[in-house]
Amino acid sequence: MIDLGKLPLEKGVHLFAKVLPGFTLFLFYDCLHHGTIAKLLSIPYLGYGSRVTLFVIVCFLCGYTLAALLSGLLTPLAGALGGVWGSFRGARHPYEDEVAPWRNEKWRLAYQRRYETSAPKSLNLVSKPIVDQLFKDARPIEPHPVDPAHAAVFAQEIYQQLNAAVEAIANDKEWRMLYDHLHSELILEKRMEAIEEIMTGLDSDLAMSAAVLLLGAIFCVQFRNWWLLIPALGLLVVSILRMSAKIYQLARPWSTLNQQIEFLNSIDHQGPIS
């Protein structure tokens, strides 16, 4: 049994707000089957308070079901898009990023201080022209007719430098993976104040209500009023813009550099990144 008294305010408001899209969906159903709401609110053996409570419960169940269905459809889609983006980022060669936030010394130092047992060592990426030259020099070297030992030592030095350069490239990819993970974690799992979390929850529920209303206007004449359609369209556009802003921020790795450094230096975060 859930103790509603222990439910955080922001979570409770977000949960109860499912009544909004449920009411819109129920209203649409009433337009198609006229009198459904009236019949529900006129059950003779129930008092007025019981009828209203039943109506709210039905709206909540409709809204909760709609939210669950949308989540079930959108979550795999978001996961697939995230996988494509991750594959794109993983296939991107370090030399394609001349400057990168995961090479920031303060960030690496903060990460190593926080996760000293699991943090990779910090290597400087060898410039591409130097690596290209090393590959050229690493071609089969013929023994020097006078001093073959010198040629062997020279070849060994070239291969050592080349191995170090390849190791630095792999190291840069490892740092990028850690940075990208923390970057997405901070954006998608942002710690919000109670009022901000309430507004975020209301935003998603209002957007669902607006979408139901706009789609319902195609089939239901009663919904085709400018004072309904314009606010609904505005709510939907605002919700899409907020989502686009979050996607845009995800595509900009530099946007969370300072936030990551502050996060890694904080004392309230414990344990490795999940």
Side-chain angles (χ1 to χ4, degrees):
M1 187 75 177
I2 299 176
D3 187 356
L4 296 178
K6 295 182 179 179
L7 189 67
L9 176 62
E10 59 273 18
K11 302 295 184 183
V13 172
H14 189 192
L15 186 66
F16 185 74
K18 295 293 182 290
V19 170
L20 298 174
F23 174 74
T24 310
L25 191 63
F26 202 14
L27 195 62
F28 171 66
Y29 183 83
D30 185 74
C31 290
L32 297 179
H33 302 83
H34 188 67
T36 303
I37 295 179
K39 291 179 182 178
L40 185 63
L41 293 177
S42 60
I43 299 176
Y45 50 84
L46 293 178
Y48 180 76
S50 298
R51 298 171 194 170
V52 172
T53 301
L54 179 61
F55 177 69
V56 171
I57 291 174
V58 172
C59 290
F60 171 78
L61 292 176
C62 290
Y64 190 85
T65 303
L66 178 62
L69 288 174
L70 288 176
S71 177
L73 292 173
L74 295 178
T75 299
L77 178 61
L81 292 176
V84 171
W85 174 252
S87 299
F88 169 76
R89 291 285 296 168
R92 188 176 177 85
H93 197 279
Y95 289 135
E96 294 183 59
D97 299 300
E98 294 184 7
V99 291
W102 54 87
R103 296 173 194 152
N104 182 276
E105 293 183 4
K106 290 184 178 180
W107 179 82
R108 287 192 178 188
L109 183 61
Y111 193 98
Q112 288 176 324
R113 188 180 297 133
R114 170 66 68 178
Y115 307 110
E116 54 185 27
T117 57
S118 59
K121 56 184 177 180
S122 183
L123 301 178
N124 292 323
L125 191 65
V126 182
S127 65
K128 189 176 185 302
I130 294 178
V131 174
D132 291 340
Q133 185 61 44
L134 287 173
F135 272 110
K136 290 180 181 179
D137 295 339
R139 64 184 183 275
I141 302 175
E142 296 181 2
H144 196 279
V146 179
D147 191 359
H150 176 74
V153 171
F154 176 74
Q156 185 179 6
E157 290 178 353
I158 291 297
Y159 283 115
Q160 286 177 349
Q161 294 178 34
L162 189 57
N163 288 334
V166 172
E167 183 183 2
I169 292 174
N171 180 260
D172 189 82
K173 290 183 177 180
E174 189 174 1
W175 278 113
R176 180 180 62 192
M177 181 182 66
L178 295 172
Y179 184 93
D180 286 347
H181 181 80
L182 186 54
H183 172 70
S184 60
E185 186 180 72
L186 288 177
I187 293 175
L188 298 178
E189 300 180 11
K190 179 183 177 184
R191 298 178 182 178
M192 296 180 287
E193 298 294 334
I195 186 64
E196 188 180 359
E197 189 165 348
I198 288 173
M199 296 306 297
T200 301
L202 286 175
D203 178 66
S204 62
D205 293 312
L206 288 171
M208 279 193 294
S209 302
V212 171
L213 196 151
L214 291 171
L215 291 174
I218 300 174
F219 308 97
C220 189
V221 179
Q222 292 89 330
F223 282 9
R224 298 172 190 171
N225 296 297
W226 66 267
W227 49 271
L228 283 176
L229 297 179
I230 292 179
L233 184 61
L235 286 171
L236 199 58
V237 168
V238 168
S239 181
I240 292 174
L241 288 176
R242 287 180 177 175
M243 186 181 300
S244 301
K246 184 169 289 189
I247 294 174
Y248 177 70
Q249 190 178 9
L250 282 170
R252 296 175 63 247
W254 285 94
S255 63
T256 60
L257 175 60
N258 292 330
Q259 186 180 0
Q260 287 196 39
I261 294 174
E262 181 181 354
F263 175 74
L264 291 169
N265 286 328
S266 65
I267 61 173
D268 61 339
H269 178 65
Q270 300 296 331
I273 299 175
S274 58

